[in-house]
Amino acid sequence: MNTLRIANGRVLRPDHSIAEADVLIDQSTGDIDRVAAPDEIDATAEETLDAGGGLVVPGLVNAHGHAPMTLLRGYADDKPLDAWLQEDIWPAEGELTAEDIRVGTELAAVEMIRTGTTGFVDMYFEEPHVAGVVESSGLRAMLGHGFVSVGKSEEGAREDMEKSVNFAEQYDGLAGGRISTAVMPHSLTTVNEELLREAVERAREADLPVHIHANETEDEVAPIVDERGVRPLAYAEDVGLLADGDFLAHCVHVDDEEIELLADSEAVAVHCPASNAKLASGIAPVAEMLDAGVTVGLGTDGAASNNDLDMFDEIRDAAMLGKLGADDAAAVPASAAVRMATEGSAAALGFDSGRIEAGANADLAVVDLDAAHLTPEHDLVSHLAYATSGQDVRHTVCDGEVLMEDREIQTLDAEAVKERAEEQAEALADRVA
Ligand SMILES: N[C@@H](CCSC[C@H]1O[C@@H](n2cnc3c(=O)[nH]cnc32)[C@H](O)[C@@H]1O)C(=O)O
Ligand SMILES: [Zn+2]
């Protein structure tokens, strides 16, 4: 057994207690073999990472995003979703090349590894290039080709849906099992009913989950209520969504009936607080969803509506906005927010990660605790939610492989990626202008 030992640190246990413990990783399986006090582990490890003065936490899982949009970070801000997409983002995306997608994903991978994220979701296009970066970066991901029918001929829309199903079938399980896939219709209003039903049917035939944007803005809800006389999630359930493995991004404008539908289903809601705030989409009723027993994951959405991919920022936003939305300072406490970004997101994607215990994927990060902004140590879970930045991460490990040691990324040349991304983004903006 090739072993990696995360030594001399403290560990965040699944019950959110803190233990002085080493983590022994079996690199042949990529799983955690043991978590125990140092003197209880006599195995000699081929490789050791020093977690002294640090806290070993589950690698964060970014359960909704559009990775290549890092090239559009800061390209268009300060407008609501529809105007932002129609006036800026979709015109720019029309000029994106496959190389842009590859470089934008590399930049996203550098940012995620640097900030302790070990798993992510991508809904975009040119996904084979995204998959190539997942393979080389060492991250875990659930990928899908996002498709719409609006603005397309019936034939063009069907082709796009086929592309989404075919990609999901062909890429599931690649990169040594670190890639999983989903069929990804863009949203309940940008894909017509016939195509949506067919996409869901094809996903079930292929035993694949479906990922979709849902109830993000009032503008997405009203047309469905007006046309169909039912709430969007009732329509989603009727087309066969809300099945086990399905996960819905946003769920901002959901009423009690829809929260109950989610709670009674196997589907997972993915909360994107920063994106919802930045686009003024609203504050999702996360406290109510959690109280109703809905599984809630956490995601940044794209870097053009956040504008970073730091999931520690997202944890803090979830806690803060959850309180504001519930008008209750006790809502979405620190532990609940941390759990959303670890176990909640892992559940959304069916990842066996999100917790530090034997048998789980060895997807973890080590947070340096010696900074002034993490002093004193009354409560480390409080620090994870209210004070930790992704820049505090020292090491990142995914599938038992070291992706970053002492803030040095091992699987990508971070400086070269940043340079390339600058060049590609500049050329893209020139093409759009
Ligand atoms: N542009 C693709 C649609 C699917 S890719 C995923 C799309 O979601 C867009 N997107 C990014 N953030 C959001 C969001 O918060 N809500 C809805 N769409 C978004 C993103 O810009 C991209 O166009 C096509 O025409 O076939
Ligand atoms: Zn999105």
Side-chain angles (χ1 to χ4, degrees):
M1 175 169 95
N2 259 1
T3 49
L4 166 65
R5 186 166 185 158
I6 315 293
N8 313 320
R10 282 178 284 176
V11 172
L12 180 71
R13 308 285 298 187
D15 63 1
H16 283 186
S17 63
I18 308 288
E20 303 267 349
D22 282 10
V23 180
L24 200 63
I25 292 165
D26 176 354
Q27 292 189 298
S28 60
T29 62
D31 292 344
I32 293 172
D33 181 68
R34 291 186 63 195
V35 182
D39 57 5
E40 290 173 15
I41 300 181
D42 52 6
T44 49
E46 278 77 13
E47 197 179 347
T48 299
L49 279 184
D50 178 24
L55 181 63
V56 185
V57 298
L60 303 184
V61 180
N62 189 340
H64 176 69
H66 312 279
M69 295 187 81
T70 53
L71 291 195
L72 294 170
R73 187 190 338 251
Y75 175 75
D77 293 315
D78 310 328
K79 54 174 75 172
L81 176 68
D82 272 356
W84 177 72
L85 285 175
Q86 313 277 352
E87 295 165 11
D88 303 290
I89 298 300
W90 283 345
E93 288 178 341
E95 295 294 332
L96 280 174
T97 64
E99 180 64 359
D100 290 328
I101 299 279
R102 190 186 66 76
V103 174
T105 306
E106 284 193 336
L107 182 61
V110 165
E111 188 178 352
M112 289 190 280
I113 294 169
R114 177 67 192 83
T115 55
T117 289
T118 53
F120 72 101
V121 166
D122 187 57
M123 174 204 277
Y124 219 56
F125 34 98
E126 298 289 354
E127 280 304 303
H129 294 279
V130 176
V133 176
V134 174
E135 167 95 52
S136 56
S137 66
L139 286 165
R140 193 179 304 278
M142 176 168 277
L143 307 179
H145 172 87
F147 68 94
V148 303
S149 59
V150 287
K152 290 195 170 89
S153 67
E154 192 175 325
E155 188 196 348
R158 179 168 303 284
E159 265 169 37
D160 211 17
M161 184 272 284
E162 292 284 350
K163 201 169 184 181
S164 189
V165 174
N166 295 338
F167 171 82
E169 288 176 329
Q170 288 159 21
Y171 280 73
D172 197 34
L174 295 192
R178 283 184 286 111
I179 291 177
S180 51
T181 58
V183 175
M184 297 196 184
H186 177 254
S187 82
L188 296 170
T189 50
T190 50
V191 179
N192 67 50
E193 178 176 351
E194 185 197 354
L195 208 58
L196 192 53
R197 287 184 183 279
E198 193 171 330
V200 170
E201 196 181 315
R202 294 285 300 279
R204 301 309 172 226
E205 283 163 10
D207 193 22
L208 289 163
V210 177
H211 178 44
I212 192 166
H213 293 105
N215 297 47
E216 180 174 10
T217 65
E218 288 285 12
D219 295 344
E220 241 198 318
V221 171
I224 293 176
V225 174
D226 295 348
E227 276 164 43
R228 302 173 185 280
V230 293
R231 295 287 302 181
L233 294 195
Y235 165 55
E237 188 194 39
D238 182 52
V239 299
L241 277 166
L242 308 193
D244 185 16
D246 294 344
F247 54 113
L248 295 82
H250 299 301
C251 299
V252 177
H253 299 279
V254 287
D255 67 7
D256 292 348
E257 174 203 327
E258 290 175 297
I259 291 175
E260 206 173 313
L261 265 180
L262 275 174
D264 294 345
S265 79
E266 298 295 318
V268 175
V270 179
H271 180 36
C272 304
S275 170
N276 296 159
K278 188 161 185 295
L279 297 168
S281 300
I283 301 179
V286 174
E288 286 168 75
M289 284 197 267
L290 292 170
D291 290 349
V294 178
T295 301
V296 182
L298 197 62
T300 58
D301 215 342
S305 60
N306 189 297
N307 285 358
D308 67 31
L309 303 180
D310 183 336
M311 282 292 288
F312 284 101
D313 284 355
E314 211 66 33
I315 289 171
R316 184 176 182 160
D317 294 341
M320 301 290 195
L321 287 174
K323 295 170 192 306
L324 210 51
D327 193 21
D328 173 6
V332 194
S335 191
V338 171
R339 228 176 265 291
M340 260 185 249
T342 51
E343 291 174 42
S345 284
L349 311 181
F351 289 178
D352 191 14
S353 59
R355 64 194 195 282
I356 305 289
E357 68 179 359
N361 292 148
D363 296 5
L364 55 86
V366 177
V367 176
D368 262 335
L369 296 172
D370 65 1
H373 65 273
L374 296 177
T375 305
E377 286 189 12
H378 289 306
D379 178 341
L380 288 181
V381 177
S382 165
H383 283 358
L384 289 176
Y386 299 120
T388 302
S389 139
Q391 301 307 313
D392 295 318
V393 174
R394 180 195 305 171
H395 309 311
T396 302
V397 173
C398 181
D399 202 35
E401 296 302 319
V402 179
L403 306 191
M404 179 173 76
E405 181 170 358
D406 289 327
R407 293 180 169 84
E408 283 299 316
I409 293 179
Q410 308 291 311
T411 54
L412 290 164
D413 178 342
E415 289 313 310
V417 168
K418 284 190 285 184
E419 272 171 43
R420 226 47 207 91
E422 194 62 62
E423 289 161 11
Q424 296 292 117
E426 206 174 310
L428 170 65
D430 291 347
R431 290 197 300 275
V432 183

